[in-house]
Amino acid sequence: MTSRIMGTGSYLPELAVTNDDLAKIMDTSDEWISSRTGIRQRRLVKDETTAFMASEASKIAIKEAGIRAEEIDLIIVGTITGDYVTPSTACEVQAAIGAINAAAFDVNAACTGFMTALHTAYAYMAAGIYTTALVIGAETLSKIMDWDDRSTCVLFGDGAGAAIVKKDETGLISLVQGSDGEKGLNLCCKNRGNHHPFIEGDLHTYYTEMNGQEVYKFAVTKVPQCIMEVLEQGNVTAEEVKYFILHQANMRIIQSVAKRLKVSEDKFPISLDTCGNVSAASIPILLDKVNKEGLLKRGDKLVLAGFGGGLTWGATVIEW
Ligand code: COA
């Protein structure tokens, strides 16, 4: 017994900010950003919250799956930018969509968040604990960006993607995931520091910091490696895979992965050009795009693969 994706949905904020828009407020250019990353535009929230975007994406996925919210027994959100420390975004979504019978919690695996959430849902189903999960990646990254740091803020965007996952005879074929905490500070956003009346408190607000070249090297090594591993584990060849749905961080990383796998770039759909890097939301947003374009049919084999802060990575082979 495994689990299968029955419906997808996504939500992107209305506000579209192009590279040229950024060049008006900081020392950057469309040429610099697009030639190094492939990103031309990102969507940024105005008054949307992480939970709102997650809930809107979920409603679409629920409708497509043809289920009622009450049937959902598990909600997992991959996010590093929840609206509250507590309640979790998953609990906020539960309330917003009326999934009154669900257990709900968030996972923090940065850009690998959706993969970790999907794998967790799968493990619960394989153990016979739950049957119908709502798995979400949702981020408001704009609020943890230093808008005076052009080397990071131009890369990221806001949005959410969701999938309904049901216990089934077919679906998830194999998975790998891992982490390397020793390299964690190459991509980080520090939380509030220690603070209470008996010490000098640290009330500083911290933003995202990145060693871009180290993260780049990590991605172009680890991502092809974990994809080869997950294909081998699932006894599936790269040729049999219809699409590789990769975390959308950088076009050059995706091209390098395609080359290492000896697979045509046509098999790597893209959303980073219009959405930027939406961390945990990137994979479900792209999966929903491909699905809504009618490019998937039952039985197609897909690889989903994510990587990012932690450092973390995760990949899965699924049958649609
Ligand atoms: N606009 C213009 N110039 C910029 C800039 C911007 N937005 N951001 C940085 N620069 C400048 C720097 O100040 C630096 O200038 P200097 O050489 O005069 O000091 C120069 O560009 C840096 O260039 P370089 O370090 O060679 O850039 P790069 O080729 O490494 O590209 C990244 C930078 C971030 C695009 C690249 O390292 C990368 O994609 N890394 C992976 C990041 C990633 O995917 N993170 C998310 C993982 S989930």
Side-chain angles (χ1 to χ4, degrees), residues 48-55 77 79 81-83 89 138-140 143 160:
E48 296 101 332
T49 63
T50 302
F52 172 79
M53 296 190 289
S55 303
V77 182
T79 187
T81 50
D83 307 314
T89 305
E139 302 284 11
T140 310
K143 67 186 177 190

Side-chain angles (χ1 to χ4, degrees), residues 26-29 32-33 36-37 111 149-156 187 210-219 247-250 252-253 277 279 307-309:
M26 65 183 76
D27 184 13
T28 191
S29 65
W32 193 96
I33 302 170
R36 278 171 179 75
T37 68
C111 302
D149 176 10
R150 64 179 181 172
S151 69
T152 51
C153 70
V154 303
L155 305 173
F156 297 93
L187 176 50
M210 183 175 68
N211 180 339
Q213 292 187 356
E214 280 304 314
V215 175
Y216 188 91
K217 275 191 264 172
F218 154 73
H247 170 51
Q248 301 287 292
N250 183 311
R252 289 192 304 169
I253 293 175
N277 179 344
S279 188
F307 61 93

Side-chain angles (χ1 to χ4, degrees), residues 43-89:
R43 301 291 194 93
L44 302 180
V45 292
K46 278 205 235 167
D47 54 7
E48 296 101 332
T49 63
T50 302
F52 172 79
M53 296 190 289
S55 303
E56 292 304 298
S58 300
K59 287 177 199 166
I60 300 167
I62 290 167
K63 196 167 174 208
E64 187 178 288
I67 63 164
R68 289 175 302 115
E70 293 85 346
E71 292 173 53
I72 296 167
D73 50 17
L74 178 64
I75 303 174
I76 312 179
V77 182
T79 187
I80 53 169
T81 50
D83 307 314
Y84 299 93
V85 174
T86 187
S88 67
T89 305

Side-chain angles (χ1 to χ4, degrees), residues 50 81-84 140-145 147 158 206-207:
T50 302
T81 50
D83 307 314
Y84 299 93
T140 310
L141 295 169
S142 55
K143 67 186 177 190
I144 59 163
M145 288 300 131
W147 288 92
D158 302 330
Y206 295 92
Y207 295 104

